[in-house]
Amino acid sequence: MMIGNRLVFLLFFITLFLAPKTYSQSDLDFDAIDSVIYRNQTNRYSWCKNQLDILKDKNKDFPKISQVIYAKSAEFMASRNLDVLAEMEMRKALAICDNGKCYPEKGIVNIINAEYYFDHDKIVKALEIILQNNLQLEEHAPYSTVLSDSYFQTVRYYNSLESFEKAKVFLKKTIEHSKKINYKINLSRIFNQYGIILRKQRIPIEALKYFRLSIKNDKLNKNFNLHSLTYNNMASVYIDLKNYDSAYFCLKTSLKYVSKGYVPYTDLNSLEASINKRMALVFERKTMIDSALYYGKKSLGYYSSNSYFLNDQESLYRILSECYEKKMMLDSALYYQKLELKEFKSVRFLEKKDLVDRTTEQARIKHQSEDIKLLNDKNQLEQEVFQSERIIVFVIMLLIGLILYGFYRKNIVRQQQTALQLEQKVLRSQMNPHFIFNALVAIQNSMMDSDILVSASHVAKFAKLIRQNFDFTQKEYITLEEDLGALKNYISVQKMRFGESFDCFIEYENVEIETILVPPLMLQPFVENAIEIGFKGIEELGILKIKIFNISEKRIGFCISDNGVGYKVVEDDKLHSTEVFRARLFLHNSQDLKSFTVVSRPDFEGTKIEFKYTIKYV
């Protein structure tokens, strides 16, 4: 029996010794390597590289572990700004293990890869990688702590893109998943991120509350790694609130802790530069210019070489420019103003929400899972609903357009009918029976005087006048030259009646009367009023002047004046020639009517009518 038991134990130890060893992430301790990376311990770079090479060789037969080591090597190279080597190491890490069994370790690789792009100001690419990582971990390693870390990383990226609602969603996922798997995730990091979100949403008091919770939680756990970051974030809120004394206290505390240790996932040089820059801002606001310049210059070296730093709250170049301006060192002030302008042109954080939505969709399309199929089905349904809504809206808009067009056409027809009626009134007023009878009597008198040539001339002028009037009834517009020709003929017929009791002068220098269109017999009503009414009862010779002149390329002016008895308004139910003209002018162009004026005695020796006319060309 004793021999049998010994044999069983011997077989057990032989099996244990010969069995291939497997590793998990917990078997690898990267704390010392992380210390070199995040604290920028340049004196230990050689040691760090040797350690990574040893780990690579030791675990070359274990792809799940090997991929993490190569990813750490890529992170180390990136911290030394050896981007080409970093990308080579990351390509190896991604290629070593590429299937569902590679998780959750593959999730660590993806987190490091995403952080590399984030640090190089390629947030869209970083977000795409981390969203894919979330989906893969949910499928292949749903109970791993790496999924909580990946969710938290997503919070940081959405926060940087100012997509705060989505950041809150993943913050909630981080907390819920950590509780689900009993993972004691660092609550201080969660409080910090939530405080950053609230600060960017301009809720400063709540932001301070969560930053204080972060500090309190660190003190309870005696872990002060995040103190420098948290106090720096608190200082930014106090600066927003213009409480510069509290901001100064937080920044001093932050500088004290930044020298003591590294902050997870944070470049200490970047953090120290941010603290110094805010310190410069505080002193500048407190008008302590020398101190502001001291801290500003300390921050300048890192600031000028990192484009991602540009998206911070206040421009360091602006702070330095204002400091030098207050010291009356205008050349230095101008120099930093130019750098500030160049800085704003280089910022690539435009249209962030669109980038977020587009990147989210790209990440989900790449991941072929049931969730994506459901999302596509939902999108297709929403697209169909959207198309249906578009059709309905289009039909409604078409109906509204047809109704409006109907009203428009009806209004146009009404205007055309009104214009035609007005033109007919003008023509009837010129060719009324009284005028025709008086013209024929004048012709008869000339015939009785046995003046055959004069009588023939009168008959020709009268016949031409009648023919012109009938021709004009068929036209909406005629040239100004034609209208003036008809007007001159009308004046000749009136002179046949009244003899040399009046005279008329027409001026139109530099006006292109051959190409300008006007309504037929536009000026005739005013000439008729002057001859028939204005010159009655005056002893001197009646003088009628018509002046046409250019105002601009689009308008000409008319001035009709006489030395008659003046203009009198007759109040009855009839539509008089002046009202007819005003209506015709309004139909041509409503703005022209505003320029129409009539001046008469006692302000003028007779009557003067002026108006502007918008040109319509042949």
Side-chain angles (χ1 to χ4, degrees):
M1 190 71 178
M2 290 283 292
I3 296 172
N5 288 337
R6 288 176 181 176
L7 184 61
V8 170
F9 279 107
L10 180 63
L11 289 171
F12 172 78
F13 282 111
I14 291 171
T15 304
L16 186 65
F17 178 77
L18 294 176
K21 185 180 179 182
T22 58
Y23 294 88
S24 66
Q25 193 219 347
S26 61
D27 295 323
L28 295 172
D29 186 6
F30 288 116
D31 286 347
I33 294 172
D34 287 340
S35 179
V36 174
I37 294 172
Y38 296 123
R39 293 185 184 181
N40 291 299
Q41 295 175 347
T42 56
N43 60 320
R44 300 190 68 196
Y45 276 171
S46 297
W47 173 87
C48 186
K49 185 178 183 305
N50 290 335
Q51 285 297 110
L52 287 167
D53 289 340
I54 291 170
L55 288 172
K56 287 178 190 176
D57 185 67
K58 184 178 178 181
N59 295 279
K60 61 184 178 182
D61 296 326
F62 307 103
K64 289 183 70 173
I65 303 302
S66 185
Q67 62 179 344
V68 179
I69 297 168
Y70 274 92
K72 271 294 171 185
S73 179
E75 189 178 20
F76 169 68
M77 296 298 178
S79 70
R80 298 177 60 191
N81 296 320
L82 302 173
D83 290 340
V84 174
L85 293 176
E87 288 171 9
M88 287 176 59
E89 292 291 273
M90 182 53 69
R91 280 196 293 271
K92 290 178 183 177
L94 293 170
I96 287 171
C97 192
D98 193 21
N99 56 61
K101 294 180 180 180
C102 301
Y103 289 87
E105 287 79 0
K106 186 62 175 283
I108 300 171
V109 175
N110 290 330
I111 289 173
I112 295 172
N113 191 25
E115 193 66 6
Y116 172 81
Y117 285 105
F118 182 80
D119 289 339
H120 286 72
D121 202 11
K122 297 179 180 178
I123 302 181
V124 173
K125 180 66 175 177
L127 183 60
E128 179 181 337
I129 293 170
I130 209 69
L131 288 173
Q132 275 188 276
N133 195 46
N134 293 340
L135 294 171
Q136 296 283 3
L137 285 165
E138 286 168 2
E139 182 177 351
H140 301 297
Y143 299 101
S144 68
T145 59
V146 181
L147 180 55
S148 291
D149 293 332
S150 186
Y151 282 152
F152 186 77
Q153 204 82 328
T154 311
V155 175
R156 292 178 60 232
Y157 298 165
Y158 274 131
N159 200 0
S160 296
L161 290 168
E162 297 184 2
S163 182
F164 304 123
E165 294 306 316
K166 291 182 179 178
K168 288 179 182 178
V169 168
F170 279 92
L171 202 57
K172 184 178 179 182
K173 280 189 174 185
T174 305
I175 297 169
E176 289 176 350
H177 184 265
S178 299
K179 287 181 179 178
K180 181 179 178 181
I181 63 173
N182 198 26
Y183 176 41
K184 294 182 180 179
I185 192 168
N186 193 332
L187 285 176
S188 297
R189 292 172 64 197
I190 293 175
F191 291 145
N192 239 309
Q193 282 298 316
Y194 199 62
I196 292 169
I197 292 170
L198 292 170
R199 183 234 168 179
K200 290 185 177 179
Q201 288 185 311
R202 301 184 188 281
I203 312 174
I205 305 303
E206 283 294 301
L208 287 172
K209 171 185 171 182
Y210 280 91
F211 289 138
R212 290 188 185 110
L213 283 172
S214 177
I215 291 170
K216 183 179 179 181
N217 187 71
D218 277 345
K219 288 180 179 178
L220 286 172
N221 293 288
K222 297 182 179 180
N223 182 357
F224 306 103
N225 286 343
L226 282 176
H227 263 36
S228 56
L229 184 64
T230 308
Y231 275 108
N232 186 38
N233 289 332
M234 287 181 70
S236 69
V237 178
Y238 281 123
I239 289 170
D240 293 341
L241 295 171
K242 299 182 179 179
N243 186 345
Y244 301 120
D245 290 333
S246 296
Y248 172 75
F249 168 79
C250 289
L251 291 169
K252 288 288 288 184
T253 308
S254 182
L255 282 173
K256 182 181 75 174
Y257 281 102
V258 81
S259 62
K260 291 185 177 181
Y262 76 91
V263 181
Y265 302 104
T266 303
D267 182 350
L268 288 184
N269 286 340
S270 170
L271 178 58
E272 188 172 0
S274 174
I275 297 168
N276 286 326
K277 183 178 74 70
R278 284 181 176 144
M279 192 73 86
L281 177 62
V282 167
F283 281 119
E284 186 264 333
R285 296 288 168 82
K286 290 164 71 77
T287 64
M288 299 171 69
I289 306 304
D290 290 332
S291 296
L293 287 172
Y294 170 77
Y295 284 101
K297 288 177 180 178
K298 284 188 70 175
S299 178
L300 191 60
Y302 186 91
Y303 185 87
S304 59
S305 62
N306 289 268
S307 60
Y308 179 66
F309 210 87
L310 303 182
N311 199 40
D312 208 347
Q313 177 196 14
E314 292 284 345
S315 166
L316 176 60
Y317 295 137
R318 185 200 61 76
I319 297 169
L320 292 172
S321 175
E322 289 186 2
C323 287
Y324 280 116
E325 186 175 356
K326 289 175 182 178
K327 287 177 71 71
M328 300 304 293
M329 298 173 67
L330 300 182
D331 288 340
S332 297
L334 181 60
Y335 171 75
Y336 284 108
Q337 280 181 356
K338 289 179 179 178
L339 288 179
E340 181 189 10
L341 180 61
K342 182 180 178 182
E343 172 190 89
F344 285 140
K345 290 180 179 179
S346 67
V347 175
R348 289 175 281 176
F349 287 91
L350 302 174
E351 302 176 349
K352 293 177 181 177
K353 291 183 180 179
D354 291 339
L355 288 174
V356 172
D357 293 336
R358 178 164 58 83
T359 307
T360 304
E361 287 304 312
Q362 288 173 352
R364 292 186 178 276
I365 289 170
K366 290 184 179 181
H367 182 71
Q368 301 297 325
S369 67
E370 290 300 318
D371 290 339
I372 302 306
K373 291 179 181 178
L374 290 173
L375 180 62
N376 290 338
D377 291 340
K378 181 182 177 182
N379 287 340
Q380 185 176 357
L381 179 62
E382 290 177 349
Q383 187 71 17
E384 290 173 357
V385 172
F386 179 68
Q387 290 292 342
S388 300
E389 290 175 347
R390 285 182 63 184
I391 292 171
I392 293 169
V393 171
F394 174 77
V395 171
I396 293 172
M397 293 300 293
L398 181 62
L399 289 173
I400 293 172
L402 290 172
I403 292 169
L404 292 174
Y405 180 75
F407 280 117
Y408 172 76
R409 287 297 304 164
K410 186 177 180 180
N411 188 47
I412 291 295
V413 171
R414 187 184 294 115
Q415 286 187 357
Q416 290 174 343
Q417 290 175 345
T418 303
L420 181 61
Q421 291 171 358
L422 292 171
E423 288 164 7
Q424 289 174 347
K425 289 180 184 293
V426 171
L427 295 173
R428 282 198 299 271
S429 69
Q430 184 177 10
M431 300 303 294
N432 63 69
H434 181 68
F435 171 76
I436 294 172
F437 177 76
N438 288 335
L440 291 173
V441 167
I443 293 171
Q444 184 184 33
N445 290 336
S446 67
M447 293 177 68
M448 291 178 66
D449 291 339
S450 300
D451 195 341
I452 298 174
L453 291 176
V454 173
S455 298
S457 175
H458 289 346
V459 170
K461 291 176 181 178
F462 185 64
K464 183 179 179 182
L465 183 63
I466 293 174
R467 186 177 70 250
Q468 286 175 327
N469 276 270
F470 281 120
D471 286 344
F472 292 165
T473 58
Q474 308 299 320
K475 299 178 181 180
E476 184 180 1
Y477 285 95
I478 60 174
T479 64
L480 183 55
E481 184 180 34
E482 290 175 323
D483 196 59
L484 291 176
L487 186 64
K488 290 175 183 177
N489 195 38
Y490 173 77
I491 292 170
S492 298
V493 172
Q494 289 287 37
K495 279 191 173 183
M496 179 179 68
R497 292 175 54 202
F498 295 104
E500 299 300 324
S501 62
F502 73 92
D503 206 348
C504 181
F505 303 93
I506 302 175
E507 298 179 21
Y508 48 84
E509 187 177 356
N510 296 327
V511 179
E512 298 177 358
I513 62 173
E514 304 87 356
T515 57
I516 296 174
L517 295 176
V518 295
L521 307 177
M522 184 172 70
L523 303 177
Q524 184 271 339
F526 304 120
V527 174
E528 180 183 1
N529 286 341
I531 296 171
E532 296 282 355
I533 300 171
F535 294 149
K536 284 186 177 180
I538 65 170
E539 296 179 357
E540 68 269 22
L541 178 68
I543 301 296
L544 176 63
K545 294 181 181 179
I546 300 171
K547 186 176 181 181
I548 307 169
F549 51 92
N550 290 310
I551 296 176
S552 66
E553 292 182 0
K554 296 182 179 180
R555 300 185 93 185
I556 56 175
F558 289 86
C559 179
I560 304 105
S561 62
D562 64 66
N563 61 342
V565 296
Y567 176 79
K568 295 180 182 179
V569 178
V570 180
E571 297 182 0
D572 55 28
D573 295 333
K574 295 180 181 180
L575 187 63
H576 295 279
S577 59
T578 303
E579 283 71 29
V580 172
F581 174 80
R582 288 169 63 87
R584 295 178 79 193
L585 193 61
F586 176 81
L587 288 174
H588 172 70
N589 190 305
S590 59
Q591 295 299 316
D592 292 345
L593 181 60
K594 296 178 181 179
S595 66
F596 180 80
T597 58
V598 179
V599 182
S600 187
R601 295 180 185 274
D603 299 322
F604 184 78
E605 294 181 356
T607 302
K608 181 169 70 172
I609 296 168
E610 292 181 312
F611 63 91
K612 296 173 183 178
Y613 180 82
T614 301
I615 296 172
K616 181 181 178 71
Y617 286 104
V618 175

